[in-house]
Amino acid sequence: MVGNDAIGSDYDRFFYLSNVDMNSASRSARFGIPGSYYPLNGVLVTRNSNEDISWEIAKKINIGFELGLWNKLTMEVDYFREHRSKILMDRASIPTTMGLTTTERANVGEAKSYGIDGSLDFSTNIGLSSWLKARVNFTYATSEFIVYEEPKYKESYRQHVGLSLSQRTGLIAERLFIDESDVANSPVQTYSSYMAGDIKYHDVNGDGKITDADAVPIGYPTSPEIIYGFGISAGYKNLDFSCFFQGSARSSFWIDAGLTSPFNNETQLLKAYADNHWSEDNQDMYALWPRLSTTQIGNNTLPNNTWFMRNGAFLRLKSLEIGYTLPVSWMEKIHLSNARFYVNATNLLCFSGFKLWDIEMGGSGLGYPIQKSYNVGVVLSF
């Protein structure tokens, strides 16, 4: 059992002390006559003292198993579990009619995480001139809210209890509006103005309008629940070869519609959007990008919706190397104890269903891309 005092943010510590702004413009009063008012700032309590706030508590358990066979095969498996309690959360049960100017918090949250981690190593010699090594590793880890401070929603799917800690909730995008008749005969979307060519969302609770009450858990958690890798190293006489693959699965990410929105803050029109967007001439209900606009359309850039949700699974050839070591008889003639020549490459290949940019860049492909690299080298020992 361990404690965690890193609760709250870096600028929000010492909860046993209250924070009082003695010169708050938001609590000012005006004096004088109309046309010649002069204001005096007032007092604002930004945090009430709370001596009951304490550390989080985590109870952890890890069970491991290790097995070796024939001096060639080694297997390691670990099961881990953690239960966190007294998680600091904002209180959602305090009514606004109390007139508090602060957000009250308490150690009320609970969560758990668990998973399995394993590896398998194999090593053998084949005859007198060949050798082979192989390794596989696999990790599955997930989490779940047990107690979450939130209102008792009418719609049970809005509750966080039972969801992963990195699970997002959002609106289900059905398609793009075809025309103005389609807009007029669909549930009212309350987030922003919209028209033909914009995203049409699903009315989950059937009340005739699209609101936060229609947000449901969507996709996988944003943190991958599965991480894995495998690789081999082999040699035949003086030639050696090695490669390693790494991958992840059961995660989702979202294309950042705000950052990649064309013509917004001098953002250029991405070729993928130029080639595949809704227009009067191409009323594609499932185009990659909705209608183009010189301004950002709030209806289409909502941070969480299924239109811009993508599967984060991928498999990458992380490294590849081929080397050659000079025969001992050759090295003795030139007075070397070792001479090895090699070529290698990193980030050579990536397999995923996402093709707009490198999937490990996440929601925005406008940053500096992950680089492939190629190297040629020699190692000499005298």
Side-chain angles (χ1 to χ4, degrees):
M1 183 170 66
V2 298
N4 174 27
D5 68 340
I7 59 176
S9 57
D10 293 338
Y11 59 85
D12 190 14
R13 306 296 295 274
F14 312 112
F15 294 98
Y16 56 86
L17 299 176
S18 61
N19 288 341
V20 181
D21 185 353
M22 300 298 293
N23 190 33
S24 173
S26 64
R27 287 294 182 269
S28 64
R30 295 189 301 175
F31 297 89
I33 60 176
S36 60
Y37 288 123
Y38 64 94
L40 290 177
N41 291 342
V43 177
L44 174 65
V45 178
T46 59
R47 184 179 73 188
N48 290 312
S49 62
N50 189 340
E51 296 182 357
D52 295 324
I53 290 180
S54 64
W55 290 12
E56 291 182 5
I57 294 177
K59 296 179 179 179
K60 303 183 180 184
I61 185 172
N62 187 91
I63 300 173
F65 174 79
E66 184 175 341
L67 175 67
L69 297 172
W70 313 298
N71 292 323
K72 294 182 178 181
L73 185 67
T74 302
M75 179 175 64
E76 296 182 8
V77 179
D78 288 273
Y79 171 78
F80 53 89
R81 189 178 186 91
E82 178 180 17
H83 180 277
R84 292 170 54 202
S85 60
K86 295 190 175 181
I87 299 173
L88 184 67
M89 303 191 75
D90 294 343
R91 299 308 306 266
S93 57
I94 299 176
T96 56
T97 52
M98 290 190 64
L100 296 177
T101 60
T102 62
T103 299
E104 301 303 316
R105 287 181 283 184
N107 300 101
V108 294
E110 289 188 39
K112 66 179 180 180
S113 60
Y114 54 91
I116 188 171
D117 178 69
S119 65
L120 188 66
D121 290 87
F122 177 77
S123 177
T124 186
N125 293 320
I126 305 172
L128 299 177
S129 58
S130 302
W131 55 272
L132 174 68
K133 293 182 179 180
R135 178 178 177 84
V136 177
N137 60 71
F138 177 88
T139 300
Y140 170 76
T142 189
S143 60
E144 181 180 332
F145 285 113
I146 300 174
V147 177
Y148 191 94
E149 180 74 5
E150 60 186 341
K152 189 66 176 179
Y153 295 112
K154 176 183 177 181
E155 301 85 3
S156 60
Y157 55 78
R158 300 181 66 184
Q159 305 298 144
H160 282 77
V161 173
L163 299 181
S164 168
L165 272 63
S166 60
Q167 174 71 58
R168 284 195 183 185
T169 58
L171 300 177
I172 298 175
E174 294 182 356
R175 53 178 174 81
L176 303 180
F177 286 108
I178 303 173
D179 50 31
E180 292 307 316
S181 175
D182 188 16
V183 172
N185 291 282
S186 299
V188 177
Q189 303 186 171
T190 60
Y191 291 96
S192 176
S193 60
Y194 57 96
M195 58 172 44
D198 292 334
I199 299 175
K200 178 180 180 179
Y201 297 108
H202 182 60
D203 183 13
V204 176
N205 62 0
D207 63 354
K209 55 185 177 181
I210 307 300
T211 64
D212 288 344
D214 297 300
V216 300
I218 53 177
Y220 294 115
T222 55
S223 299
E225 292 187 322
I226 294 176
I227 298 290
Y228 64 96
F230 56 91
I232 61 170
S233 297
Y236 175 71
K237 294 184 177 179
N238 298 80
L239 188 67
D240 62 87
F241 166 84
S242 65
C243 67
F244 180 74
F245 290 82
Q246 70 173 26
S248 73
R250 290 188 61 82
S251 70
S252 295
F253 72 98
W254 277 256
I255 296 175
D256 194 320
L259 287 178
T260 61
S261 180
F263 320 122
N264 179 53
N265 294 327
E266 300 183 354
T267 301
Q268 297 182 1
L269 174 62
L270 298 178
K271 185 177 186 302
Y273 295 168
D275 295 340
N276 190 5
H277 66 273
W278 186 96
S279 67
E280 291 287 347
D281 298 328
N282 179 32
Q283 297 180 344
D284 183 359
M285 295 184 297
Y286 302 99
L288 172 63
W289 188 260
R291 65 182 175 92
L292 297 178
S293 173
T294 56
T295 59
Q296 192 172 116
I297 303 171
N299 180 81
N300 300 336
T301 57
L302 295 175
N304 297 329
N305 66 72
T306 59
W307 193 262
F308 293 107
M309 182 179 72
R310 298 295 184 269
N311 191 332
F314 72 91
L315 175 63
R316 183 185 296 279
L317 176 54
K318 190 63 179 179
S319 63
L320 175 68
E321 181 168 309
I322 299 175
Y324 179 77
T325 302
L326 292 179
V328 175
S329 59
W330 291 16
M331 290 189 289
E332 289 177 347
K333 292 180 180 180
I334 55 178
H335 306 289
L336 292 175
S337 60
N338 181 51
R340 179 176 179 269
F341 302 87
Y342 66 88
V343 293
N344 64 33
T346 59
N347 300 322
L348 196 59
L349 298 171
C350 186
F351 307 94
S352 77
F354 184 73
K355 304 301 181 183
L356 292 185
W357 49 75
D358 192 298
I359 192 169
E360 287 194 90
M361 296 181 68
S364 176
L366 304 181
Y368 197 76
I370 295 174
Q371 297 292 291
K372 295 179 181 179
S373 64
Y374 303 88
N375 302 286
V376 177
V378 58
V379 177
L380 301 176
S381 299
F382 296 91

